[in-house]
Amino acid sequence: MPENLKIESLRGGATAAIAASDLDFKTALTQETARRWFARTLSIRSPRDPALADRPGRPERPVLIPPKHMEKRSLHTLKGRIALLHALAHIELNAVDLALDIVARFTMERVPHSFFDGWMQVAFEEAKHFRLVRDRLRELGADYGDLPAHDGLWQAAQDTRNDLTARLAVVPLILEARGLDVTPALQAKMRETGDHASAAVLDIIYNDEKGHVAVGAKWFRFLCAREKKDPSATFKALVRANFRGPLKPPFNDVARAEAGLTPSFYRALVSVSQS
């Protein structure tokens, strides 16, 4: 990252990072914007901030295909482990842009500066995760972009672009919380196959993701309290309105509760389906 890089504001840095299609530059710009924000050397907004793009910048590959066309492979093969890590790299890359989008899109909201502290910490860590997974792919003789990926995660950002409370319900409290449910089994399978290096990467991601869900839960509750709404009932209503498909068990109730997401939020939604 060039020392003289011009980042005029938090929103400007976040917006530029979302737009960047060079992924090394995207992750470096994300982390540098976070560092400058934490050092309190950036304003929240500037009149010179670029417009927020409808879609994040991406390289030419991977090819994006519908989720139902994604091939499933056994983790007991090298190809299968590469496929899992590739899917994980894609999730982490989208998570970088989703965290940045919460910052860049909602700088006009009446929220404390600590709201942006939380989400820039999330963005910083998601950039770290993407690099860790990509480095592991390269160690296995592959790279991000070698396999197809799907675009479902960014659709969640589009669907909730006008409502911060809905964005918090769908992105951290459904999509990120899902990672808490599925990652422990993946960690165990990686260890079973003897791939301890990939398991170690998953360990870092899993521990950080608990904090990301906690940031989402904290600010979701904050917004509900300010509007004198019941968090659990509000969550259910927003999920029904903004999320396609049912919530799928099994749930990692312990990790979810540690992050402030109690069963009263999600248990009643298991059978909810929306086409």
Side-chain angles (χ1 to χ4, degrees), residues 55-115:
R55 295 189 59 80
R58 289 286 182 270
E60 288 181 10
R61 296 164 63 219
V63 174
L64 297 177
I65 62 174
K68 63 184 178 207
H69 294 162
M70 295 293 290
E71 196 178 330
K72 288 191 166 44
R73 293 187 173 105
S74 166
L75 291 184
H76 290 281
T77 66
L78 177 60
K79 277 189 173 176
R81 292 198 298 281
I82 286 171
L84 171 75
L85 289 166
H86 191 279
L88 188 57
H90 188 65
I91 289 167
E92 297 300 332
L93 177 60
N94 274 280
V96 175
D97 288 314
L98 287 167
L100 292 169
D101 189 78
I102 284 180
V103 170
R105 190 174 297 278
F106 295 107
T107 52
M108 303 301 284
E109 289 279 330
R110 291 184 303 115
V111 288
H113 277 207
S114 55
F115 173 87

Side-chain angles (χ1 to χ4, degrees), residues 124-188:
F124 186 97
E125 289 173 355
E126 302 291 19
K128 174 185 76 176
H129 297 168
F130 175 75
R131 285 187 187 149
L132 284 170
V133 180
R134 191 175 196 183
D135 287 348
R136 182 61 189 143
L137 276 171
R138 287 168 169 164
E139 287 167 4
L140 295 173
D143 197 0
Y144 178 67
D146 288 355
L147 297 171
H150 72 79
D151 200 32
L153 289 171
W154 189 251
Q155 189 59 46
Q158 287 298 98
D159 292 346
T160 57
R161 64 188 178 276
N162 298 318
D163 184 342
L164 177 56
T165 314
R167 170 68 63 88
L168 294 173
V170 170
V171 174
L173 301 188
I174 292 182
L175 300 178
E176 290 238 33
R178 188 74 190 131
L180 300 184
D181 302 333
V182 301
T183 305
L186 296 176
Q187 289 165 303

Side-chain angles (χ1 to χ4, degrees), residues 236 239-241 243-247 267-274:
K236 293 185 188 90
V239 171
R240 289 188 175 109
F243 187 68
R244 297 175 173 89
L247 303 195
R267 284 285 176 196
L269 290 164
V270 170
S271 60
V272 171
S273 183
Q274 186 183 336

